[in-house]
Amino acid sequence: MIRYILIALVLLVVGAGIYVYTADKLILFNRLVPKDAGSERIAQDIAFGDAYRQRLDVYAPTGLDADAALPVIVFIHGGGWRAGDKAGYEFAGRAFSARGFVTVVPNYRLSPAARFPAFVEPGAEALRWVRANIAARGGDPE
């Protein structure tokens, strides 16, 4: 009897983990990963296109020098073009910025509402935005 209760508990925990992941956000993961000292989100939900999901967040090291031109990472989240949201990858933005990078995490349009190449194009548009605007946030556009 106890064996069946333990199996049920394991299945419940695994199922809950799968649900949290498939809910478009890695909420549990973001909560479990410690906050990285030395990083902060300096801008949230910046539009880089006209579509609703064409928004990005920018993370940068704290105490950023006004003359800084730090290396930039553009982190395009996973999800097989069908799922995912930049909010679920806050841990990546914080971790990279804590190590000296200005980090940009964009969203993109999702399938099936968007069809190829419509879900790929926002990545290129986000890169264009970075090139044109990241210097104002301490990043090196090159």
Side-chain angles (χ1 to χ4, degrees):
M1 181 65 162
I2 291 184
R3 186 170 119 191
Y4 293 114
I5 292 173
L6 289 175
I7 290 172
L9 285 173
V10 167
L11 291 174
L12 181 64
V13 169
V14 169
I18 290 170
Y19 171 76
V20 167
Y21 177 75
T22 58
D24 282 353
K25 294 183 182 176
L26 299 169
I27 296 167
L28 181 61
F29 192 72
N30 273 329
R31 289 188 183 168
L32 292 176
V33 172
K35 302 282 184 207
D36 289 304
S39 70
E40 63 180 318
R41 180 172 27 214
I42 60 171
Q44 185 174 6
D45 291 328
I46 298 171
F48 65 89
D50 295 330
Y52 167 72
R53 286 188 49 91
Q54 290 179 280
R55 304 287 180 270
L56 57 82
D57 294 345
V58 179
Y59 299 82
T62 55
L64 198 59
D65 183 351
D67 296 325
L70 298 174
V72 178
I73 292 176
V74 178
F75 183 92
I76 299 176
H77 66 78
W81 309 114
R82 295 181 312 271
D85 190 276
K86 65 182 175 51
Y89 295 87
E90 179 183 341
F91 69 91
R94 288 192 331 256
F96 287 128
S97 68
R99 283 147 189 87
F101 295 92
V102 174
T103 307
V104 178
V105 183
N107 265 344
Y108 50 84
R109 291 171 281 191
L110 300 175
S111 175
R115 299 187 61 172
F116 181 82
F119 50 75
V120 177
E121 291 167 342
E125 292 166 3
L127 290 173
R128 276 193 289 279
W129 182 93
V130 167
R131 188 131 190 156
N133 298 284
I134 205 66
R137 290 175 169 79
D140 182 355
E142 297 301 318

